[in-house]
Amino acid sequence: HPKAEEPTIPGMEPSQPPVQAERSEVPGAAKELSLTDMLRMLWLVGAAAMVLWLLASNLAFSVRLRQNRTGVQIPGCRRRVYLVESGLASPCLFGVLRPAIYLTPSAVRDEASLRHVLAHEETHARHMDPLWALLRGLCLALYWFNPLVWIAALASKTDCEMACDEGAIRCLGEEERLAYGK
């Protein structure tokens, strides 16, 4: 078949096949990452690693506490109290939603020691320190790259303990200050 010629209009050039624009992306080729994208990915990996580390360490601590605990009834104490025979360096309040008090054998050696430890741990609960610990962990996960946030978290934890000691002495009375300090 002879090719039919397209009609021409005076003053216009005959149409030419459209030239395809060159594509800047080649299918299957890797996209070049900008510095911002790389830093964003680095932050995300660091934040995810921190969250996983915090979750894993708290889960491992929870498992260790649950394996070695024995329930203890203490008159007048509204919280669940457990005695942990081994693997716990000092008494603590653990748990966010329903925190429980975990005691060491040395904490229950005498009535005065037990009273001081319970006052301290109850003060942690009144101050909602498990929630503050969770907030510190969140800040560390989000700002894991900033040494000032790590210093602030450590200072916050120290302040938390000092405020707790002050609150416990207020509950126990000034006459117990020296015994509590020991």
Side-chain angles (χ1 to χ4, degrees):
H1 296 285
K3 188 174 179 185
E5 288 188 30
E6 294 182 23
T8 57
I9 300 174
M12 290 191 72
E13 296 187 26
S15 65
Q16 297 195 1
V19 177
Q20 281 192 309
E22 290 186 34
R23 298 182 83 188
S24 59
E25 295 179 21
V26 177
K31 181 181 174 185
E32 190 172 315
L33 291 176
S34 69
L35 179 61
T36 303
D37 291 337
M38 286 189 282
L39 290 175
R40 186 175 294 128
M41 285 193 319
L42 177 64
W43 172 81
L44 190 59
V45 167
M50 278 297 300
V51 166
L52 288 174
W53 179 75
L54 288 169
L55 284 173
S57 61
N58 277 286
L59 184 61
F61 186 64
S62 176
V63 167
R64 196 171 66 224
L65 287 176
R66 290 176 191 273
Q67 287 175 343
N68 297 319
R69 72 182 185 184
T70 305
V72 177
Q73 291 293 331
I74 299 189
C77 187
R78 298 183 322 239
R79 300 209 177 276
R80 294 170 296 141
V81 179
Y82 299 101
L83 177 64
V84 179
E85 292 295 332
S86 64
L88 186 61
S90 65
C92 66
L93 180 73
F94 187 76
V96 176
L97 299 177
R98 289 185 29 200
I101 297 172
Y102 292 87
L103 303 172
T104 59
S106 64
V108 296
R109 70 178 178 262
D110 60 50
E111 189 179 320
S113 174
L114 178 60
R115 189 172 62 252
H116 295 157
V117 167
L118 290 176
H120 182 90
E121 300 308 331
E122 283 289 346
T123 303
H124 274 304
R126 270 195 319 279
H127 290 175
M128 297 190 307
D129 288 341
L131 290 175
W132 289 111
L134 182 64
L135 182 61
R136 275 192 302 272
L138 179 63
C139 288
L140 287 173
L142 293 176
Y143 297 99
W144 58 268
F145 56 88
N146 189 338
L148 295 177
V149 173
W150 287 86
I151 292 168
L154 187 59
S156 170
K157 188 173 181 180
T158 302
D159 287 349
C160 169
E161 287 299 325
M162 291 174 67
C164 188
D165 287 336
E166 184 179 316
I169 290 171
R170 196 174 310 120
C171 287
L172 293 168
E174 280 297 315
E175 62 278 358
E176 296 263 355
R177 179 181 286 276
L178 187 60
Y180 177 84
K182 289 181 181 179

